Amino acid sequence: MSDDLIEQIAGMAVFAAVVQAQSFSAAALRLGLTKSAVSKQVARLEHSLGVKLLHRTTRSQSLTEAGQALYLRAAQGVALAEEARAAVA
């Protein structure tokens, strides 16, 4: 597995947390990261995929069409990873 793929998977998990929390700040709090780190991770994911995932304003965010498609799959991937971890714990 390449480092780029590992970084993308981590970015997808952070992106899913942002969508679920409905804000970068709330996702950062849940993940134990800074808001800046969360924002940078999502920006790197967008750059590596070549698509915009979120429409951002100072007061709100919404998913793009690509963001919606990625979120549905990323959330499933995160859930499967959590189940796998629980199964071996």
Side-chain angles (χ1 to χ4, degrees):
M1 195 175 328
S2 72
D3 288 345
D4 186 50
L5 180 58
I6 292 168
E7 187 175 313
Q8 284 184 341
I9 291 169
M12 288 179 202
V14 170
F15 169 69
V18 169
V19 174
Q20 290 166 351
Q22 299 180 343
S23 80
F24 282 80
S25 297
L29 188 61
R30 285 184 190 176
L31 296 170
L33 301 170
T34 65
K35 181 181 172 186
S36 175
V38 169
S39 180
K40 286 178 184 176
Q41 189 110 5
V42 172
R44 279 194 299 267
L45 179 62
E46 288 177 322
H47 179 74
S48 71
L49 295 175
V51 296
K52 189 171 182 171
L53 300 171
L54 293 164
H55 296 292
R56 301 172 186 81
T57 68
T58 55
R59 296 185 183 260
S60 69
Q61 67 187 26
S62 61
L63 288 168
T64 64
E65 188 174 324
Q68 179 67 33
L70 180 64
Y71 170 70
L72 292 174
R73 287 159 184 85
Q76 290 173 342
V78 170
L80 284 172
E82 288 173 346
E83 287 175 21
R85 183 177 58 187
V88 299

